[in-house]
């Protein structure tokens, strides 16, 4: 598996939507790739934060903006601007 392939299935991996064989392939890649390990960790955290938010039906545009702010912070970067 390449990093690019991992990125494409990251959402399904974090959401538990992958079959066991694919999960194992992802986990093997993560164990040998520090960059993807950090990415998966950040993404998992972002998903948890997202689920922790009240389920009162955020407007999609607001949710997208929220993620745009949260994700760089979770990666330890400063949001642009
Ligand atoms: Zn990788």
């Amino acid at each position: 598996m390449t990093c690019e392939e991992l990125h494409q299935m990251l959402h399904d991996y974090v959401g538990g939507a992958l079959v066991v064989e694919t999960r194992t392939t992802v986990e093997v890649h993560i164990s040998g790739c520090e960059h993807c390990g950090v990415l998966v960790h950040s993404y998992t955290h972002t998903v948890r934060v997202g689920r922790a938010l009240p389920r009162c039906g955020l407007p999609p545009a607001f949710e997208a903006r929220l993620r745009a702010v949260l994700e760089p912070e979770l990666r330890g970067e400063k949001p642009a601007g």
Side-chain angles (χ1 to χ4, degrees):
M1 171 179 286
T2 65
C3 294
E4 185 65 30
E5 285 169 341
L6 185 140
H7 297 169
Q8 286 171 4
M9 59 181 60
L10 186 59
H11 184 81
D12 286 342
Y13 174 74
V14 172
L18 297 178
V19 297
V20 172
E21 288 83 355
T22 311
R23 284 187 73 84
T24 303
T25 308
V26 170
E27 280 159 10
V28 168
H29 182 97
I30 292 166
S31 69
C33 180
E34 187 180 349
H35 175 76
C36 288
V38 170
L39 188 71
V40 168
H41 183 80
S42 299
Y43 198 89
T44 304
H45 195 78
T46 304
V47 168
R48 284 194 188 136
V49 169
R51 284 180 182 161
L53 293 170
R55 294 187 182 184
C56 55
L58 289 175
F62 178 81
E63 190 176 336
R65 284 183 60 189
L66 191 63
R67 287 183 191 284
V69 172
L70 285 176
E71 286 176 0
E73 287 203 6
L74 291 169
R75 288 197 301 267
E77 300 166 6
K78 298 290 179 194

